[in-house]
Amino acid sequence: MELISLKINGRCCHVAVEKNWNLLYVLREVLDMTGTKCGCDTNDCGACKIIIDGEAVTACSVKAVNAAGKDIETIEGLSRDGQHLHPIQQAYIDCGAVQCGFCTPGMVMASKALLDKTLTPTEEQIREALKGNLCRCTGYVKIVEAVKRAGELLMEEGKNNGM
């Protein structure tokens, strides 16, 4: 086992890992952060999408030892105060983009990575950002609407906060 330091949702934690463990395993099984879903464990479905150093990646494709020292964001870290939904989460609900909900955490994190770069993405940019996330329920129309709405909510929030 190797002791590594991870910065997850702004907090540092030290965890002992095996060299072959992927970050998804560490998040779910070691740290009990089950918001990040395991849909395939083969980098095919996007259910385990998280953000590392500003980029959306699948947690199953990253060795935990390679994540040491990187800035990791998971679905659990989106709520700013632990009580209110993040505007992206609210937009998904408002637009009916949640359906069964299994793929939603990965979709939301992919959306956040995109919206962190631009609050007014085109439909093409949204679809490109979400292309690694599979959803069997929605057909993506509502999800695209939700990402656009989330950008609007984030812009409104920025204006209300004097940004």
Side-chain angles (χ1 to χ4, degrees):
M1 306 263 314
E2 180 177 341
L3 184 64
I4 62 170
S5 294
L6 298 172
K7 183 180 176 190
I8 303 172
N9 301 322
R11 294 183 171 206
C12 289
C13 65
H14 304 285
V15 61
V17 301
E18 295 287 344
K19 289 190 185 290
N20 65 331
W21 286 358
N22 64 32
L23 189 52
L24 176 62
Y25 179 83
V26 171
L27 290 171
R28 291 184 58 79
E29 304 302 327
V30 177
L31 299 174
D32 200 31
M33 297 178 73
T34 57
T36 302
K37 303 302 179 203
C38 180
C40 68
D41 212 18
T42 58
N43 194 29
D44 290 323
C45 73
C48 67
K49 195 79 56 126
I50 59 174
I51 300 172
I52 298 180
D53 289 341
E55 298 298 322
V57 299
T58 51
C60 72
S61 70
V62 176
K63 294 287 182 204
V65 294
N66 294 336
K70 298 190 182 294
D71 189 20
I72 302 165
E73 296 177 71
T74 70
I75 194 75
E76 289 91 348
L78 282 189
S79 174
R80 295 176 183 131
D81 62 6
Q83 295 180 8
H84 297 92
L85 294 175
H86 187 281
I88 298 171
Q89 293 168 309
Q90 189 62 57
Y92 268 69
I93 292 168
D94 292 348
C95 293
V98 291
Q99 299 295 316
C100 83
F102 189 81
C103 70
T104 305
M107 291 281 189
V108 167
M109 296 310 292
S111 300
K112 183 179 187 302
L114 173 63
L115 293 169
D116 283 349
K117 293 176 176 106
T118 178
L119 293 178
T120 56
T122 64
E123 182 170 337
E124 184 177 311
Q125 288 172 312
I126 294 168
R127 290 188 180 277
E128 178 68 22
L130 299 176
K131 75 178 180 184
N133 294 73
L134 301 179
C135 177
R136 295 181 180 189
C137 300
T138 66
Y140 300 91
V141 172
K142 297 289 186 184
I143 293 169
V144 170
E145 289 174 14
V147 176
K148 288 181 180 181
R149 177 68 183 137
E152 293 167 1
L153 291 173
L154 288 164
M155 282 191 293
E156 286 175 24
E157 184 179 83
K159 289 177 186 172
N160 292 336
N161 292 329
M163 298 176 121

